Amino acid sequence: MLKAPSRLLILCLFMLLTGCAISTQISNTQRSSVEQRLLVRSFERALATLDTQEFKGKTVAVDFYGLTPDKDFMKEFFTAWLQGQQVQIATDPKQAQLQLKVFAPVLAVDQGQSFVGAPAFTVPVLGFAIPEISLFKNVKHSGHAEVKIYTIDGGTGKFIDQSPPAIGEAQYDDYTVMIVVHFTRSDIEK
């Protein structure tokens, strides 16, 4: 027969071993402030790799395409960025020297989690909750953006050029060690 301290030790070890988990989630709700910052920073980093020399001094019309609702904001952001690069934006697309078809196939924030410890749970019958006990927990958020520009002649409609894909990423990691120590690491502000 096991003594009470031995049973308690076995129970604690069982809780720790059953609480180990790794999961990956993708956000599908309205974006948190961290997610918004990650998305914008990754988009800015993608734009920083684009060469706009062929557009300077010319009037362009911008058509922006993406797979997420974030494309509307990113179109305006891209247009303002072009203006900051000394590119003139046509008020009437028919007056543009160049038509830019901008594709953003990736505008996303992903989340992954690593966890070692005991997860939160409700004790059956008694109905009270036991909080999560983290020996180690890491929640990783990563923003991803990809942009590609196809340049079309405004007068003839003929294809002129395409840019290589411009890719940008940003990260925000949230750590908890031994329940008490909690810190974050981010490259959002770089």
Side-chain angles (χ1 to χ4, degrees):
M1 195 82 193
L2 293 174
K3 295 183 180 181
S6 297
R7 280 187 253 158
L8 182 60
L9 180 61
I10 290 171
L11 178 63
C12 288
L13 287 173
F14 178 74
M15 286 177 53
L16 290 176
L17 292 175
T18 59
C20 297
I22 295 176
S23 67
T24 301
Q25 295 176 292
I26 298 174
S27 174
N28 58 2
T29 61
Q30 288 212 348
R31 299 207 181 277
S32 69
S33 62
V34 170
E35 289 177 322
Q36 292 171 26
R37 292 173 65 199
L38 283 167
L39 194 56
V40 170
R41 291 302 170 272
S42 60
F43 191 68
E44 285 176 327
R45 291 173 185 173
L47 294 180
T49 66
L50 287 174
D51 181 17
T52 59
Q53 290 300 319
E54 65 181 292
F55 309 138
K56 287 188 178 179
K58 296 186 178 170
T59 305
V60 302
V62 176
D63 292 325
F64 197 96
Y65 305 94
L67 300 173
T68 68
D70 300 311
K71 70 179 172 18
D72 297 331
F73 172 81
M74 294 305 179
K75 176 185 179 183
E76 295 304 318
F77 191 93
F78 178 77
T79 302
W81 178 81
L82 276 178
Q83 290 171 321
Q85 302 295 313
Q86 311 305 316
V87 177
Q88 298 173 15
I89 305 300
T91 53
D92 180 9
K94 293 177 183 176
Q95 302 297 323
Q97 294 170 299
L98 299 174
Q99 179 184 9
L100 303 182
K101 291 191 176 233
V102 182
F103 291 87
V106 179
L107 292 172
V109 177
D110 296 333
Q111 178 183 348
Q113 180 177 357
S114 299
F115 175 73
V116 177
F121 65 94
T122 303
V123 176
V125 179
L126 299 176
F128 65 90
I130 302 292
E132 177 181 277
I133 300 172
S134 301
L135 295 179
F136 176 79
K137 183 176 182 179
N138 177 16
V139 180
K140 293 179 158 235
H141 304 270
S142 55
H144 306 275
E146 184 177 323
V147 180
K148 191 166 187 174
I149 302 173
Y150 292 84
T151 308
I152 311 295
D153 184 273
T156 64
K158 290 186 178 181
F159 173 80
I160 297 175
D161 196 12
Q162 70 181 14
S163 71
I167 298 171
E169 295 181 339
Q171 290 205 176
Y172 182 89
D173 298 334
D174 193 27
Y175 296 93
T176 303
V177 180
M178 297 299 289
I179 306 167
V180 183
V181 180
H182 178 259
F183 63 96
T184 58
R185 193 178 77 188
S186 172
D187 71 351
I188 293 176
E189 296 301 324
K190 290 181 184 176

